[in-house]
Amino acid sequence: MKRRSSRLFVTLFVCVAAWATAFGAGVADSQALPRVQVTDVRRVFHNGEHNAFTDLIRFRDRFYLTFRSCPDGHAVYPTASVIVLESGDAQTWEQVHRFSVPKRDTRDPHFLVFKDHLFVYTGTWFCGDSAPEVYEMNQHLGYAITSSNGRAWSDPIMLEGTYGHYIWRAAAHKGTAYLCGRRKREFIEAPRSDRSVVESAMLESDDGLVWRTKALFQTTEGNETAFRFEPDGAVLAICRLTGDNALLCRSNPPYARWSRKDLCRYIGGPLLATWGDRYLVAGRKTAGAPARTALSWLIDGELHEFAALPSGGDNSYPGFIELSTTRGLVSWYSSHEKDDSGNSITAIYLAELQIVE
């Protein structure tokens, strides 16, 4: 018992020490934290399938929402597809595109506005004709669709340079696009359960379609990572870890060296966005309660939670649009509601966020 208490004390000490170290991310800690109201919570899509992994963006004065939909559920199936919805007011939504990749599971779609086009990126698992009993990370392959107007879309385009990488969340800075690419070290053959050999690379592209490795920022337990570039080219990253933790990482061009610190909490499906002069972090939290999609401010390397969205069970993977410096729109998926027969559904939700000073 004493040994367990000592180990817990050491863990808490490390976290507190990490928080006490200034990391240079977010506004000054002397600035009062604003109060945020979550309003107009609404379910915007449910078709009887498993709907999950959202993203939001504004393009040519229209709103776009994307997510994965699969009749067979959360796991890896070739029946999965990506849906894109469009809206003029973020209230009424219309499906403008749906695509799949033959013999592959499409999931985790993310938007990027790049070179005057709207891109949707998706990581894919190879399945064959049915759900595989064993699926290999080394058979990952990224795909994208593009549109100049949000209505007419390209066919799925295979992304050169992404084979063996699971791509996740896109960002752009000064004419270059970036992706997180999760892969096995030297593409070795190892059990998928061995997370120690999984690393995360920063991939870059000049056209959004042909990719190359720019930097390696996680050498073990590589996982979902959200990038956010500052005007001077410095990049912040929120990195999900396999266990009960997440990392805040930072690097300056040419991104050869990275600073890392523990955030001392788990963040599933992480989002990192700017809202006014603050950083917003969102994702699934599991500590202290059933899993919820939580929203936090990131200030001087610390997370300050300000809301937990209506959610439960299979949930998270949020998207965010800044409507103004005091208003925002957030998307997420969750399985906390039931249908008329009492069965859980997994649906897509939206809510508005209002800063109350």
Side-chain angles (χ1 to χ4, degrees):
M1 186 68 180
K2 290 183 179 180
R3 186 174 301 170
R4 178 182 297 178
S5 299
S6 175
R7 188 178 297 119
L8 176 61
F9 174 79
V10 171
T11 301
L12 292 173
F13 177 80
V14 169
C15 288
V16 171
W19 287 341
T21 302
F23 201 78
V27 297
D29 57 6
S30 60
Q31 184 171 344
L33 294 176
R35 187 165 61 91
V36 180
Q37 292 180 339
V38 179
T39 64
D40 197 14
V41 176
R42 58 217 187 253
R43 186 204 305 170
V44 296
F45 190 90
H46 173 57
N47 59 355
E49 300 184 8
H50 183 277
N51 302 286
F53 319 125
T54 78
D55 200 15
L56 272 174
I57 204 164
R58 190 158 39 186
F59 177 67
R60 302 197 186 282
D61 296 321
R62 306 285 290 178
F63 297 96
Y64 292 88
L65 169 63
T66 189
F67 50 90
R68 172 192 185 261
S69 189
C70 183
D72 292 309
H74 182 113
V76 173
Y77 299 100
T79 52
S81 61
V82 171
I83 292 176
V84 181
L85 304 184
E86 181 192 63
S87 175
D89 58 5
Q91 293 290 334
T92 303
W93 294 85
E94 176 188 1
Q95 182 174 313
V96 292
H97 197 59
R98 184 170 186 168
F99 73 94
S100 59
V101 177
K103 300 183 183 297
R104 286 187 170 271
D105 174 284
T106 52
R107 64 201 300 121
D108 293 337
H110 290 107
F111 286 120
L112 181 68
V113 175
F114 187 62
K115 307 281 177 127
D116 295 321
H117 280 68
L118 180 57
F119 286 71
V120 178
Y121 291 104
T122 175
T124 72
W125 291 89
F126 180 75
C127 298
D129 294 324
S130 62
E133 293 184 7
V134 178
Y135 38 99
E136 296 294 338
M137 290 187 66
N138 286 340
Q139 293 180 324
H140 279 319
L141 187 58
Y143 280 81
I145 58 170
T146 69
S147 176
S148 61
N149 59 16
R151 284 275 169 167
W153 292 87
S154 71
D155 291 332
I157 303 167
M158 184 191 74
L159 302 179
E160 296 285 353
T162 66
Y163 191 75
H165 296 75
Y166 189 77
I167 62 170
W168 210 84
R169 282 214 188 270
H173 180 70
K174 289 188 175 180
T176 302
Y178 297 89
L179 287 169
C180 167
R182 194 170 75 218
R183 68 192 189 192
K184 288 186 178 179
R185 187 180 308 121
E186 297 182 354
F187 305 102
I188 65 172
E189 297 297 330
R192 194 168 66 89
S193 59
D194 185 359
R195 302 295 306 176
S196 68
V197 300
V198 180
E199 57 190 17
S200 289
M202 172 190 275
L203 306 180
E204 66 174 8
S205 174
D206 299 322
D207 64 1
L209 299 174
V210 178
W211 295 84
R212 58 189 175 271
T213 300
K214 175 64 176 178
L216 187 66
F217 64 92
Q218 195 72 11
T219 59
T220 185
E221 293 192 21
N223 214 318
E224 303 160 345
T225 298
F227 295 127
R228 195 73 187 181
F229 286 89
E230 297 179 331
D232 63 358
V235 63
L236 294 177
I238 298 291
C239 309
R240 168 184 173 176
L241 294 184
T242 303
D244 297 328
N245 201 3
L247 293 178
L248 173 63
C249 301
R250 183 183 176 97
S251 185
N252 294 313
Y255 314 118
R257 295 186 177 184
W258 292 76
S259 300
R260 300 174 181 84
K261 64 163 294 187
D262 291 337
L263 288 172
C264 299
R265 56 159 287 186
Y266 173 83
I267 304 175
L271 166 76
L272 174 60
T274 53
W275 186 6
D277 62 353
R278 300 178 178 93
Y279 286 100
L280 172 69
V281 174
R284 183 170 62 246
K285 74 165 188 176
T286 56
R292 295 287 187 270
T293 300
L295 307 172
S296 302
W297 299 118
L298 174 64
I299 298 178
D300 290 336
E302 295 185 40
L303 292 176
H304 301 264
E305 184 177 325
F306 63 81
L309 300 172
S311 51
D314 188 7
N315 75 95
S316 185
Y317 291 71
F320 176 79
I321 295 175
E322 180 185 58
L323 301 175
S324 73
T325 56
T326 58
R327 293 179 59 237
L329 183 69
V330 62
S331 65
W332 72 102
Y333 83 95
S334 179
S335 57
H336 67 287
E337 292 190 308
K338 298 183 184 298
D339 61 19
D340 294 338
S341 300
N343 299 314
S344 294
I345 65 171
T346 308
I348 306 299
Y349 298 85
L350 285 175
E352 293 196 19
L353 307 177
Q354 179 73 49
I355 293 178
V356 182
E357 299 290 355

